[in-house]
Amino acid sequence: KAGVTQTPRYLIKTRGQQVTLSCSPISGHRSVSWYQQTPGQGLQFLFEYFSETQRNKGNFPGRFSGRQFSNSRSEMNVSTLELGDSALYLCASSLAGTPSTDTQYFGPGTRLTVL
Amino acid sequence: DQQVKQNSPSLSVQEGRISILNCDYTNSMFDYFLWYKKYPAEGPTFLISISSIKDKNEDGRFTVFLNKSAKHLSLHIVPSQPGDSAVYFCAASAYTGKLIFGQGTTLQVKP
């Protein structure tokens, strides 16, 4: 069974640009969550999508948005990039998004560098 | 507001000895706790979890302890092996699909 895949793996952008990251979940998984990892901050929750609907949202500005398609693939968009957006962006998929009953499996991440 | 905290950024242990990683939380609504391990250039992988109705869960060399009154959990690795060297994240959930992670602790197991 293929794991969670994320594309691209590495990305370099300049301030003010926008970027779209993609996540393909494990087959059969309907929940996709996105996290931002920065040094010293750990993994910070961005949002979760389930059946094409945003079900949970973290405390990030509106420049961060996402969507989920009918095949459960998800995209994350960051507009008007800032230097502080440089981070590793991780997505995780699970069957139904309930941590107590099903495990979240993470992809390898997309390393975004904003210059 | 950091609801889940790992106050030790790093830990160094000799091979064969016990590794103890600690985690504190502030939200009493959390009902499920997890530990993830992360190697460089890879995503985190699930290690072990515990429900708030338990105080201990064991899986091979890994044991997680939960002290709800102190809002504290710990991960014990016995015996520690060099392959255990990684970043360990604790995480907490309040039923929803949202995991709140700590900052991580880098464990180094020396041969």
Side-chain angles (χ1 to χ4, degrees):
Chain A
K1 203 173 191 180
V4 179
T5 57
Q6 292 187 245
T7 55
R9 290 294 309 277
Y10 301 92
L11 208 47
I12 299 176
K13 292 285 188 178
T14 56
R15 279 181 300 174
Q17 288 187 307
Q18 77 163 19
V19 67
T20 299
L21 312 181
S22 180
C23 173
S24 292
I26 291 171
S27 177
H29 285 190
R30 295 168 64 191
S31 169
V32 174
S33 297
W34 288 88
Y35 296 86
Q36 180 195 66
Q37 184 188 2
T38 53
Q41 292 295 318
L43 280 73
Q44 294 186 285
F45 176 79
L46 281 153
F47 27 66
E48 183 223 1
Y49 285 86
F50 181 80
S51 293
E52 302 179 65
T53 301
Q54 187 180 88
R55 192 164 63 172
N56 283 288
K57 190 176 188 308
N59 297 324
F60 278 81
R63 300 186 296 108
F64 292 81
S65 63
R67 59 178 176 168
Q68 187 180 34
F69 302 95
S70 58
N71 62 358
S72 293
R73 190 177 71 85
S74 178
E75 286 183 347
M76 189 191 106
N77 185 278
V78 188
S79 62
T80 321
L81 283 166
E82 301 177 359
L83 295 178
D85 297 333
S86 294
L88 180 67
Y89 290 88
L90 293 155
C91 92
S93 77
S94 65
L95 285 168
T98 307
S100 59
T101 57
D102 63 290
T103 303
Q104 285 195 13
Y105 295 89
F106 282 82
T110 294
R111 172 71 64 183
L112 171 64
T113 302
V114 182
L115 302 177
Chain B
D1 175 28
Q2 192 77 28
Q3 297 184 65
V4 178
K5 294 182 183 180
Q6 294 175 257
N7 292 316
S8 298
S10 63
L11 175 68
S12 183
V13 170
Q14 208 66 37
E15 180 181 5
R17 307 295 289 267
I18 184 171
S19 295
I20 301 176
L21 296 94
N22 295 303
C23 180
D24 297 299
Y25 62 96
T26 57
N27 190 339
S28 57
M29 297 300 291
F30 289 144
D31 63 355
Y32 203 73
F33 303 88
L34 309 91
W35 285 93
Y36 277 80
K37 179 170 73 173
K38 186 180 185 300
Y39 293 116
E42 295 182 12
T45 55
F46 170 75
L47 195 55
I48 192 170
S49 61
I50 187 167
S51 164
S52 60
I53 63 173
K54 295 185 176 180
D55 54 19
K56 177 182 173 182
N57 189 27
E58 203 169 346
D59 184 1
R61 297 186 296 114
F62 302 91
T63 303
V64 56
F65 294 92
L66 175 63
N67 182 333
K68 282 186 293 183
S69 60
K71 294 190 174 67
H72 177 85
L73 66 155
S74 61
L75 174 68
H76 293 210
I77 306 174
V78 184
S80 300
Q81 300 173 353
D84 296 330
S85 297
V87 180
Y88 289 79
F89 291 97
C90 69
S93 167
Y95 179 71
T96 68
K98 178 178 174 178
L99 287 179
I100 306 298
F101 282 85
Q103 306 96 310
T105 297
T106 301
L107 173 65
Q108 182 186 28
V109 181
K110 296 180 179 178

